[in-house]
């Protein structure tokens, strides 16, 4: 039997750090962000649909999707974002489900679906456990400002454009507190894996 852990968090909460900890522990990772890049590679149907909807100005000189330009088009524009999601999210979902099915067919004990939009895109039924990486708002702001060289106002705009961490935490089966030292976070990951494996035995 396979246990699928759905891993998510807010921007700059440390979800990627926790995902790497699962990978280091030998757990296979289904990375939704990587899949999102794969499905819009040159010569894909999704990229053709994006070009026909948003124009070829969203391409780089080499024919790749310019994610920065596309991001600027859809950021703070709900209609355009909905159009983009209607193109890419069904394709991403299909790939994610096929990869989960493959791991289940092999009886892989534990798999992590690392997905920033796990709850926004309603993957709750595709996973067995929802794990949310959380930090207090002040730490989230400070890390985001340092990471992306943003002002406080810009950081807050990015944070507020997502489902709030409080909302995600309310829907979590397990919350990993990433506000302390990394070793503290790693111990929470190890303890979670121990519990999951004991339940599976």
């Amino acid at each position: 039997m396979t246990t699928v852990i759905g891993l998510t968090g807010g921007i700059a909460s440390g979800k990627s750090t926790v995902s790497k900890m699962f990978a280091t522990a030998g757990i296979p990772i289904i990375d939704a962000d990587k899949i999102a890049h794969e499905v819009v590679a040159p010569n894909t149907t999704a990229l053709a649909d994006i070009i026909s909807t948003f124009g070829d100005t969203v391409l780089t000189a080499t024919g790749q999707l310019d994610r920065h330009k596309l991001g600027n088009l859809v950021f703070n524009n709900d209609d355009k974002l909905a159009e983009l999601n209607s193109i890419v999210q069904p394709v991403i979902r299909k790939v994610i489900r096929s990869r989960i099915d493959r791991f289940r067919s092999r009886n892989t004990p534990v798999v992590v679906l690392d997905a920033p939009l796990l709850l926004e895109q309603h993957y709750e039924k595709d996973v067995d456990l929802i794990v949310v990486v959380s930090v207090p708002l002040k730490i989230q702001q400070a890390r985001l400002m340092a990471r992306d060289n943003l002002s406080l106002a810009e950081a807050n705009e990015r944070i507020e454009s997502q489902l709030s961490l409080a909302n995600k935490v309310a829907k979590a089966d397990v919350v990993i507190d990433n506000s302390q030292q990394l070793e503290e976070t790693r111990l929470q990951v190890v303890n979670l894996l121990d519990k999951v494996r004991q339940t599976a035995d």
Side-chain angles (χ1 to χ4, degrees), residues 19-169:
S19 185
K20 283 176 191 160
M21 290 174 180
F22 278 114
T24 301
I27 306 302
I29 309 292
I30 300 170
D31 187 329
D33 268 353
K34 278 189 184 165
I35 292 169
H37 280 76
E38 287 168 22
V39 303
V40 293
N43 303 315
T44 56
T45 305
L47 182 59
D49 289 344
I50 288 170
I51 294 164
S52 69
T53 304
F54 296 98
D56 58 12
T57 57
V58 296
L59 294 179
T60 65
T62 56
Q64 307 276 338
L65 179 64
D66 188 324
R67 303 180 80 84
H68 184 69
K69 279 185 187 169
L70 183 60
N72 286 340
L73 278 178
V74 302
F75 193 63
N76 285 337
N77 187 322
D78 290 344
D79 290 341
K80 280 194 162 58
L81 181 60
E83 273 188 290
L84 176 62
N85 280 334
S86 72
I87 294 168
V88 296
Q89 290 303 334
V91 191
I92 294 169
R93 186 178 300 274
K94 189 176 177 184
V95 175
I96 285 173
R97 284 182 170 163
S98 74
R99 292 193 187 171
I100 289 174
D101 287 346
R102 198 185 311 156
F103 283 117
R104 287 195 193 278
S105 70
R106 294 175 187 161
N107 289 320
T108 306
V110 185
V111 178
V112 168
L113 169 58
D114 174 348
L117 301 179
L118 185 91
L119 298 169
E120 292 91 331
Q121 294 298 329
H122 303 294
Y123 283 99
E124 295 95 326
K125 289 178 182 173
D126 297 291
V127 301
D128 303 300
L129 203 65
I130 295 171
V131 175
V132 173
V133 183
S134 182
V135 291
L137 178 60
K138 283 199 177 339
I139 291 178
Q140 191 181 16
Q141 290 166 328
R143 287 180 182 170
L144 185 54
M145 287 162 69
R147 188 189 80 185
D148 294 353
N149 196 25
L150 302 175
S151 68
L152 179 60
E154 288 169 330
N156 282 334
E157 189 178 27
R158 301 279 174 90
I159 290 166
E160 285 160 15
S161 74
Q162 296 188 333
L163 185 66
S164 75
L165 255 177
N167 270 329
K168 291 184 178 185
V169 165

Side-chain angles (χ1 to χ4, degrees), residues 175-193:
V175 176
I176 291 181
D177 173 12
N178 189 37
S179 62
Q180 307 300 318
Q181 298 296 318
L182 278 180
E183 183 58 21
E184 296 285 331
T185 303
R186 195 186 68 78
L187 283 172
Q188 292 174 73
V189 171
V190 169
N191 289 337
L192 171 59
L193 281 173

